[in-house]
Amino acid sequence: ALDALDERDAEGELERLNELKASLGFRLGLAFNDARADAETTARRLAALASAVIGAVLTLAENELAAQHGRLPGTGSGLAVLGYGSLGGEELGFASDLDLVFVYDSARAGLESDGTRPLDGVRWYQRLVQRVMHWLGVLTRAGRLYEVDTRLRPDGSSSMLVTSLDAFVAYQHGRAWTWEHQALLRARAVAGDSVLREHLQAVRRSVLMQPRAAAQVRNEVAAMRRRWRSERDRSDAQRLDLKQGAGALLDIEFLLQGLVLAHAARYPQLLDHTANVALIAACRDAGLLDTEQAQVLTTAHADMLQRALACTLDARPRVIARDAGIDAQCAQVSVLAQALGFNFDAG
């Protein structure tokens, strides 16, 4: 269906994309609700759907821009889209927003497009990304595709929407904080120029394979987790925040990120994965978790993701009434984190 898009009618094709996305999302919701697909499978399929939509919108935007200003010299668009967060980790929920970072080929920055109204490379990529952002979020008669968050780009909200590959590399190697490398662990190239996507995957590996002091990593990861919990946790005595609560999904995610950051230089195979389920297995295979610890995390993650997806399917906040089973799982995760040196609960 996406291959048949007609770039001559961008507005009409955006409506068609919205209808297609809504139809597939509805089918995924039915399969999940009827227990024909588990939470992990559903979240991965939702992420694949989002990646396909981003790619289609990027193609539409590129073709419209080319009609107005021509194309830059070279093969391919020279632009790639990195998906971070739940998109990058293939654990997207129903109606989740998308964390995106846009990177362009540095070698094309000084080139000029070949249209009757040419643009230099930097402005061409800025215009392209502005179109993509607008079309992903614009409200059509068929709805809106996705809310997009770009705050994870280098230098955050103060920087341009699109970053050159050279600037991205320099930032990740020189100025990025530990929490930004945690975010990079979940990053995947989800759309755009295939050659640049491969370069970005290589950059990710080189950044994350840097040797690090394990104790420092544990302390910094735990400090960030405590900060997030203090600012965002909506749990109380009767209710659990499935994402931010003590022993809940983000405790599992931060624990895994801390293990990978501390040990990727020695076990580079840990960087082959972005999804939490695969990271648990990779950490077990590398000897960073024993079989029992891995099983605790796998079971807790599967149950909490199932509950969280059910909430997003119903457009409810991911806050549920506590029960003995979920409290026991959270307690197991908290004890495990503490045993591995992550003091998420320290004051």
Side-chain angles (χ1 to χ4, degrees), residues 48 110 167 290 320:
D290 64 32
I320 63 169

PDB file of all heavy atoms in Angstrom, residues 48 110 167 290 320:
ATOM      1  N   ALA A  48       6.745  -1.390  14.153  1.00  0.00           N
ATOM      2  CA  ALA A  48       6.970  -1.602  12.721  1.00  0.00           C
ATOM      3  C   ALA A  48       6.018  -0.759  11.885  1.00  0.00           C
ATOM      4  O   ALA A  48       6.400  -0.192  10.848  1.00  0.00           O
ATOM      5  CB  ALA A  48       6.801  -3.083  12.384  1.00  0.00           C
ATOM      6  N   GLY A 110      27.298  21.514   1.983  1.00  0.00           N
ATOM      7  CA  GLY A 110      27.713  22.638   1.152  1.00  0.00           C
ATOM      8  C   GLY A 110      27.271  22.543  -0.289  1.00  0.00           C
ATOM      9  O   GLY A 110      27.602  23.427  -1.097  1.00  0.00           O
ATOM     10  N   ALA A 167      28.333  16.305  13.312  1.00  0.00           N
ATOM     11  CA  ALA A 167      27.952  16.947  14.571  1.00  0.00           C
ATOM     12  C   ALA A 167      27.376  15.924  15.542  1.00  0.00           C
ATOM     13  O   ALA A 167      27.628  15.985  16.755  1.00  0.00           O
ATOM     14  CB  ALA A 167      26.941  18.062  14.311  1.00  0.00           C
ATOM     15  N   ASP A 290      22.089 -14.193  36.209  1.00  0.00           N
ATOM     16  CA  ASP A 290      21.950 -15.646  36.234  1.00  0.00           C
ATOM     17  C   ASP A 290      20.561 -16.023  35.718  1.00  0.00           C
ATOM     18  O   ASP A 290      19.716 -15.157  35.462  1.00  0.00           O
ATOM     19  CB  ASP A 290      22.239 -16.214  37.626  1.00  0.00           C
ATOM     20  CG  ASP A 290      21.260 -15.751  38.702  1.00  0.00           C
ATOM     21  OD1 ASP A 290      20.074 -15.516  38.376  1.00  0.00           O
ATOM     22  OD2 ASP A 290      21.679 -15.626  39.873  1.00  0.00           O
ATOM     23  N   ILE A 320      -2.546   1.471  37.579  1.00  0.00           N
ATOM     24  CA  ILE A 320      -3.518   0.417  37.861  1.00  0.00           C
ATOM     25  C   ILE A 320      -3.655   0.218  39.372  1.00  0.00           C
ATOM     26  O   ILE A 320      -2.790   0.623  40.148  1.00  0.00           O
ATOM     27  CB  ILE A 320      -3.101  -0.917  37.221  1.00  0.00           C
ATOM     28  CG1 ILE A 320      -1.766  -1.408  37.814  1.00  0.00           C
ATOM     29  CG2 ILE A 320      -3.012  -0.776  35.700  1.00  0.00           C
ATOM     30  CD1 ILE A 320      -1.416  -2.838  37.449  1.00  0.00           C
TER      31      ILE A 320
END
